Amino acid sequence: MMLKTLQWTGNALRLVDQTRLPGEIVYVDIATPEAMHDAIRRLVVRGAPAIGIAAAFGVYLGVKESNDASFPADREKVCKYLATSRPTAVNLFWAIERIRRIGTSPQRILQECLVMIDEDNAVCRAIGEHGLNLLLSHCGTGRVINLITHCNAGGLATAQFGTALAPMYVGKERGVKFHVFADETRPLLQGARITAMELLANGIDCTLVCDSMAASVFTNHKIDAVIVGTDRVAANGDVANKIGTHTLAIVARRFAVPFYVACPTSTIDRTLANGTLIPIEQRNPEEITCGFGRRTAPEGVKCFNPAFDVTPAELVSAIITEKGVLRPPYAL
Ligand code: MRU
């Protein structure tokens, strides 16, 4: 990857500020739990696996000065605080819980955070291998594989390699050619700003489309599959992902195109029986009325701005994890 999503500097977590992409590449050093909470909430760091790792480092930053006596209470306080930064991606809670469980000292917590970066790379790579095999199994070899993706589930949503984009990166190393339609992903344009930038930088052929063009894309092009990431998968296989994913899945089914979800097993939340129980983040209406600083709707208009939607399991053709490909009926 050309950009490192997150790197430990020795006293801070260095993040590429994703709110500034693609125009400016700015790194910010996060050295306090408050700054980490703000970075996660404002999407400076974003994508389920990346915010999990960032939150884990946030816990370390909150306890690094603790002494033996204050450590347990300090750890509890910072874990609870960081868990309020965003509600939908279960990786955030998974990572905080993992740190809480192993955290017997600040130094031990830091070690675990660093392990989480390496682990994420290995997991994403394995997702890439399984995803590529799945795609080749129905597309065959020797031709361009045509895909649609939504939002950004690439390197910038993880430590380095991505989930939904990982099969393309592994495939490229092996000479497999892809063409990817990237949905722009209203309202914050993660597809246009981040996925398109990432794919171009990695030499993967990409065409940017508006979210509303899905039916037209399926009508006018032979699409082999949709592949997206997810923020949380319920036990029955319902999948929460960036708003607009459910619409894309409905259109894909209408055109009989497989709809694949790629995620680490840490994104599966077995405590929730189905997707209606997944907490959906509601964000500031100004993201719709005044996105990127320019007013595009009248003052005072009512807005509905959920950041995620839930695609029912019946529309999900397969879930690609680091352990292999899961098929319906899902009982996770
Ligand atoms: O609001 P965001 O940009 O954090 O939303 C990200 C997504 O919806 C991703 O598809 C999801 O987190 C999977 S990232 C591998």
Side-chain angles (χ1 to χ4, degrees):
M1 276 322 309
M2 71 303 177
L3 293 179
K4 282 227 181 288
T5 312
L6 27 83
Q7 329 166 49
W8 180 242
T9 65
N11 49 26
L13 190 67
R14 182 161 296 162
L15 303 174
V16 53
D17 182 347
Q18 299 194 34
T19 65
R20 314 275 286 264
L21 297 175
E24 294 173 296
I25 296 173
V26 176
Y27 290 92
V28 285
D29 283 358
I30 304 292
T32 65
E34 292 75 21
M36 191 65 81
H37 192 286
D38 179 65
I40 294 172
R41 192 183 52 79
R42 288 195 306 108
L43 316 191
V44 169
V45 59
R46 45 147 301 279
I51 65 175
I53 298 170
F57 278 98
V59 176
Y60 170 68
L61 294 167
V63 298
K64 70 183 172 106
E65 314 270 284
S66 300
N67 57 38
D68 286 354
S70 68
F71 174 75
D74 292 347
R75 186 188 54 190
E76 277 317 291
K77 194 169 156 211
V78 70
C79 284
K80 283 206 176 97
Y81 169 64
L82 286 165
T84 62
S85 53
R86 288 189 84 186
T88 304
V90 76
N91 303 63
L92 181 84
F93 309 98
W94 170 87
I96 291 174
E97 195 46 40
R98 174 167 167 172
I99 294 296
R100 181 187 267 133
R101 265 187 284 117
I102 66 99
T104 47
S105 70
Q107 209 44 39
R108 186 67 194 85
I109 287 182
L110 178 58
Q111 274 167 15
E112 191 70 5
C113 292
L114 295 169
V115 166
M116 284 167 87
I117 293 184
D118 291 342
E119 222 179 77
D120 185 82
N121 286 332
V123 160
C124 288
R125 177 103 212 162
I127 290 171
E129 297 279 352
H130 292 301
L132 179 64
N133 289 340
L134 175 65
L135 291 169
L136 291 175
S137 71
H138 67 85
C139 300
T141 51
R143 70 169 177 92
V144 176
I145 298 178
N146 289 293
L147 302 171
I148 302 188
T149 192
H150 189 71
C151 193
N152 174 264
L156 285 157
T158 65
Q160 187 174 4
F161 212 65
T163 58
L165 304 192
M168 304 163 210
Y169 297 145
V170 174
K172 181 152 198 293
E173 288 170 11
R174 311 224 168 115
V176 181
K177 288 200 166 46
F178 292 93
H179 173 261
V180 184
F181 284 97
D183 276 354
E184 67 172 355
T185 315
R186 281 281 290 154
L188 295 181
L189 305 185
Q190 288 92 332
R193 295 187 302 106
I194 305 174
T195 298
M197 185 194 75
E198 224 190 279
L199 291 174
L200 289 182
N202 285 287
I204 303 214
D205 192 17
C206 161
T207 300
L208 181 63
V209 288
C210 302
D211 302 352
S212 49
M213 295 173 185
S216 180
V217 171
F218 284 111
T219 303
N220 291 293
H221 299 271
K222 164 87 187 82
I223 302 296
D224 294 300
V226 176
I227 185 161
V228 296
T230 170
D231 287 79
R232 197 184 298 227
V233 183
N236 69 341
D238 291 350
V239 166
N241 191 47
K242 179 55 56 194
I243 192 71
T245 303
H246 184 181
T247 315
L248 185 58
I250 292 169
V251 181
R253 179 57 56 91
R254 172 73 178 79
F255 286 84
V257 170
F259 179 88
Y260 297 139
V261 174
C263 67
T265 48
S266 53
T267 306
I268 298 172
D269 184 353
R270 294 186 173 82
T271 69
L272 300 184
N274 62 63
T276 63
L277 302 167
I278 298 176
I280 299 295
E281 177 181 11
Q282 302 291 327
R283 292 188 64 90
N284 190 332
E286 290 215 337
E287 290 179 351
I288 303 179
T289 58
C290 201
F292 305 98
R294 182 164 181 269
R295 180 154 282 282
T296 52
E299 295 273 3
V301 69
K302 280 190 282 190
C303 289
F304 175 52
N305 188 20
F308 301 96
D309 58 25
V310 176
T311 301
E314 65 184 272
L315 296 179
V316 178
S317 313
I319 300 176
I320 306 158
T321 75
E322 74 278 17
K323 296 191 175 154
V325 176
L326 310 173
R327 295 278 192 179
Y330 303 104
L332 306 171

